[in-house]
Amino acid sequence: MTGLLRIGFLADGVVKLLVASAYGGLRVPLAQLLGASAGLLLLTAVLVAASGVAEVVYAVRSGAGSHTRYLIVYDGGWLLVTVGAALIGIGEGRAGGGIWLLAQALGSLGIAIVFVRGAVGPRA
């Protein structure tokens, strides 16, 4: 079971690295499309990349299932924020894209911290 979890954490981390790369590469046009600043998009890209690296390191060092719950919370929160931001965007609100990116940035920061701590292990 741990082998499958390792693969899952590794795959999730790699996907986050790909997303971060796309955010960084498409920074200006994507920021304009979302009605957000390019700076916020760049910050989000950096934090999403950090969480991806942390997940990859965790997969290599541990891969224990204890961290699955954090990804469930992250993904559930991301889904709720995505729906909310889309509803704001449909209602002609320009803040939806910024809210969506900020939520990803903060969530990714949290995930990075949790997974780095998990990869390092308990302190003596």
Side-chain angles (χ1 to χ4, degrees), residues 5 19 32 35-36 43 45 71 74 110-111 113-114 121 124:
L5 288 171
V19 167
Q32 290 173 346
L43 174 65
L71 292 180
Y74 174 87
I111 287 292
I113 291 168
V114 166

Side-chain angles (χ1 to χ4, degrees), residues 19-67:
V19 167
S21 177
Y23 283 179
L26 300 172
R27 186 174 58 250
V28 174
L30 186 55
Q32 290 173 346
L33 178 69
L34 293 172
S37 72
L40 177 58
L41 188 57
L42 182 59
L43 174 65
T44 302
V46 168
L47 292 173
V48 168
S51 69
V53 168
E55 282 186 58
V56 168
V57 170
Y58 181 80
V60 170
R61 289 196 168 180
S62 172
S66 60
H67 283 53

Side-chain angles (χ1 to χ4, degrees), residues 1 8 13 15 20 22 24 35 40 43 48 58 65-66 89 94 100 103-104 109 112 118:
M1 182 67 159
V15 167
L40 177 58
L43 174 65
V48 168
Y58 181 80
S66 60
R94 296 290 294 165
W100 187 67
Q104 282 184 67
L109 177 61

Side-chain angles (χ1 to χ4, degrees), residues 61-104:
R61 289 196 168 180
S62 172
S66 60
H67 283 53
T68 305
R69 65 180 177 237
Y70 299 114
L71 292 180
I72 292 169
V73 169
Y74 174 87
D75 289 342
W78 180 85
L79 181 61
L80 290 174
V81 169
T82 298
V83 169
L87 290 173
I88 290 169
I90 289 169
E92 299 299 324
R94 296 290 294 165
I99 291 168
W100 187 67
L101 290 172
L102 185 59
Q104 282 184 67

